[in-house]
Amino acid sequence: LSERLSGVFDRLTKQGALSEEDVKTALREVRVALLEADVSLPVARDFVKAVQDKATGQAVTKSITPGQQVVKIVHDALIDVLKGEGEPGALKIDNPPTPILMVGLQGGGKTTTTAKLAKRLKEKDGKRVLMASLDVNRPAAMEQLAILGTQIGVDTLPIVKGEDPVAITKRAKTQAGLGGYDVYMLDTAGRLSIDEELMQQVEAVRDVVTPRETLLVVDGLTGQDAVHTAENFDERIGITGVVLTRMDGDGRGGAALSMRAVTGKPIKFVGLGEKMDALETFEPERIAGRILGMGDIVALVEKAQETIEAEQAEKMMKRMAKGQFNMNDLKMQLEQMIKMGGMQGMMGMMPGMGKMAKQVEEAGMDDKVLLRQIALIQSMTKKERANPALLQASRKKRIAKGAGMEVSDLNKLMKMHRQMSDMMKKMGKMGKGGMLKQAMK
Ligand code: GDP
Ligand code: MG
């Protein structure tokens, strides 16, 4: 498949602009890729349509080939859909004891995930957790949770024979309150398929505790069925998030996209094995790559972006070597620094800048400082940016005010500009720019 796609994109590469037809051709292949990853048909169709509308209006970025542009748009759009609001791994745990309800079909991984999550809450967040199994249909299921509890050092509600799920839930609620637990987790029974009895049972349980989180646990290998399951549980019970299990297998995880598209609920965690620590925070970027199943093309996208940056950097370096380092260049540098993990990271990579990196570190500069500096530059007029020598007292006042800062902040920025400008000139003179070439790598 990857080859087929590369083929299409190669053909696109040879054309000058990204026409509607180009986009359509490429997206036909993307649609196939999505279906092969078990994304449900209507979701794949809608996704492709949305990307097509978006792509067709866009101009092709200079130095990026049309094919790469399409890949980038597809990839970004996929991440956009997969990404929910808020932190992926975060759960709402406030008023203790906070109830968490685990729902899903039988064999999806509810019991395992309940224990994994309990372990995580205990170890990562320092929460006291109580787990209760409501699976009265299979006595072995209650035992299973109790055994896992012992294994991970998390309490489980004692098993009382003959109780129904609502009675167990009430007991769990009381016990969680009396025992001073932060969280109590309710592991419900599942069925092989959705049925009315199951839904009514879960509804009854939900109404007893009003869960703060209701997590739908879905087997990541189920593909098309996942949509149906998610739709049903969300309509009847109202889920707050999804846990996708068995992502350690060969499945491409298309269910993730389908469920996001259909329920709009965030995917919070991913199960990556049977072991108790095989639970990870959901990472949209990772799953996006997997669903598309073409890491090589994604790498292509990243390379394309680097190309633009390298080109810009080269232009800037040339200008700097001539002693033309203006505020636009500085702004670009600052933006780069944010991208590259802060000032220290960036300067540490440039020869001859180690000392400055240290100064920066001592000055306690972080992204916030960088953003403030960028704001100052944005407050300058075009002329001022191109020619910092223009910056006299009255202009300085206006610029600082415009950015909501003091003139002293601007002075600091200007000092930095001067220092960097001097350094660039020195470096430019050294070895006919050999040093600069080094720095650009
Ligand atoms: P439940 O019926 O929904 O409670 O499902 P269980 O928690 O009992 O899990 C069913 C089976 O799936 C068990 O054998 C688990 O060990 C296994 N399982 C659960 N989550 C994962 C996972 O993320 N990866 C793998 N490989 N197996 C899992
Ligand atoms: Mg179970």
Side-chain angles (χ1 to χ4, degrees):
L1 169 84
S2 208
E3 262 165 43
R4 199 160 65 216
L5 267 171
S6 305
V8 171
F9 293 134
D10 282 350
R11 254 176 284 134
L12 290 185
T13 305
K14 298 200 177 73
Q15 292 160 17
L18 195 64
S19 74
E20 199 176 323
E21 203 43 48
D22 292 336
V23 178
K24 273 193 182 153
T25 313
L27 287 182
R28 256 197 291 278
E29 299 295 330
V30 167
R31 188 161 167 271
V32 173
L34 295 177
L35 294 178
E36 280 181 2
D38 267 337
V39 175
S40 85
L41 182 62
V43 171
R45 210 168 39 209
D46 290 352
F47 176 79
V48 165
K49 176 85 177 56
V51 171
Q52 188 180 317
D53 291 348
K54 208 164 139 193
T56 308
Q58 267 182 34
V60 181
T61 315
K62 202 176 128 270
S63 101
I64 281 192
T65 65
Q68 289 167 335
Q69 184 89 36
V70 174
V71 181
K72 178 165 168 47
I73 293 166
V74 168
H75 186 73
D76 289 356
L78 202 49
I79 291 173
D80 263 0
V81 177
L82 288 171
K83 208 182 270 174
E85 305 94 58
E87 288 278 301
L91 296 175
K92 285 196 199 81
I93 291 169
D94 31 36
N95 278 333
T98 302
I100 298 181
L101 185 61
M102 308 294 284
V103 301
L105 296 181
Q106 185 179 318
K110 280 182 308 299
T111 304
T112 314
T113 305
T114 301
K116 283 177 180 176
L117 208 51
K119 183 171 189 274
R120 183 183 164 113
L121 287 171
K122 175 189 153 198
E123 288 173 3
K124 269 204 169 158
D125 307 313
K127 301 287 183 198
R128 284 200 64 209
V129 185
L130 176 71
M131 304 189 292
S133 171
L134 312 184
D135 197 343
V136 294
N137 306 331
R138 295 185 308 139
M142 302 182 111
E143 284 296 322
Q144 183 194 355
L145 190 68
I147 291 165
L148 292 175
T150 312
Q151 196 183 316
I152 58 175
V154 169
D155 295 341
T156 45
L157 190 73
I159 300 169
V160 175
K161 293 229 166 77
E163 254 180 347
D164 65 26
V166 168
I168 302 172
T169 302
K170 286 180 178 158
R171 195 155 54 85
K173 188 179 176 180
T174 309
Q175 177 64 31
L178 291 175
Y181 291 94
D182 299 307
V183 180
Y184 61 109
M185 304 184 69
L186 302 170
D187 176 25
T188 58
R191 294 292 157 85
L192 288 176
S193 64
I194 289 174
D195 67 30
E196 190 51 31
E197 201 190 338
L198 165 76
M199 283 299 175
Q200 282 179 5
Q201 199 179 79
V202 181
E203 275 174 345
V205 165
R206 176 199 64 195
D207 294 342
V208 173
V209 296
T210 321
R212 201 71 176 93
E213 297 277 1
T214 301
L215 301 178
L216 175 67
V217 181
V218 186
D219 183 341
L221 300 174
T222 51
Q224 309 278 336
D225 287 347
V227 178
H228 183 59
T229 307
E231 243 174 351
N232 265 285
F233 272 99
D234 197 27
E235 266 173 35
R236 290 293 297 264
I237 314 296
I239 62 173
T240 60
V242 175
V243 181
L244 210 56
T245 61
R246 295 219 180 77
M247 289 302 283
D248 49 316
D250 294 334
R252 297 255 302 273
L257 183 67
S258 303
M259 287 189 298
R260 275 290 304 152
V262 168
T263 66
K265 298 293 155 59
I267 295 162
K268 300 213 169 187
F269 300 98
V270 174
L272 290 168
E274 305 202 14
K275 296 235 172 74
M276 283 297 103
D277 46 14
L279 183 78
E280 287 184 9
T281 300
F282 174 68
E283 285 176 33
E285 290 80 6
R286 231 163 106 181
I287 306 281
R290 192 161 161 174
I291 290 175
L292 274 179
M294 38 186 168
D296 46 348
I297 303 218
V298 172
L300 211 74
V301 178
E302 278 155 13
K303 189 112 195 260
Q305 288 169 334
E306 275 168 29
T307 310
I308 285 193
E309 275 164 23
E311 230 172 53
Q312 282 178 342
E314 190 167 358
K315 260 192 210 151
M316 185 174 73
M317 288 294 186
K318 271 189 191 142
R319 295 166 32 85
M320 288 189 311
K322 288 186 212 152
Q324 301 170 330
F325 182 75
N326 65 28
M327 287 292 175
N328 285 321
D329 299 316
L330 180 58
K331 179 164 165 275
M332 210 165 91
Q333 282 279 18
L334 294 169
E335 285 161 354
Q336 282 273 353
M337 285 174 198
I338 292 176
K339 249 194 246 160
M340 293 171 79
M343 238 179 213
Q344 286 107 290
M346 163 93 184
M347 293 195 164
M349 277 159 53
M350 292 180 77
M353 290 229 173
K355 202 170 121 199
M356 198 150 155
K358 232 189 209 150
Q359 286 172 357
V360 165
E361 200 180 337
E362 279 158 14
M365 292 226 214
D366 55 18
D367 282 5
K368 240 184 251 161
V369 179
L370 295 173
L371 287 171
R372 280 166 62 89
Q373 288 168 335
I374 290 170
L376 276 170
I377 297 175
Q378 269 163 349
S379 179
M380 297 174 193
T381 64
K382 253 189 186 168
K383 270 189 184 166
E384 288 162 351
R385 282 186 222 180
N387 184 9
L390 288 174
L391 297 178
Q392 304 304 336
S394 68
R395 288 182 188 253
K396 279 195 205 170
K397 249 189 217 157
R398 191 207 77 237
I399 292 164
K401 203 173 160 212
M405 277 171 252
E406 303 295 324
V407 171
S408 62
D409 294 318
L410 181 56
N411 283 336
K412 267 185 225 157
L413 177 82
M414 289 173 65
K415 189 174 163 199
M416 179 164 105
H417 168 256
R418 267 197 308 277
Q419 279 177 346
M420 286 181 81
S421 177
D422 288 348
M423 192 160 343
M424 299 299 166
K425 266 180 232 168
K426 263 185 231 155
M427 283 168 68
K429 277 179 203 146
M430 268 187 261
K432 286 184 189 156
M435 188 115 173
L436 273 179
K437 279 209 188 99
Q438 270 304 114
M440 275 156 51
K441 278 184 186 141

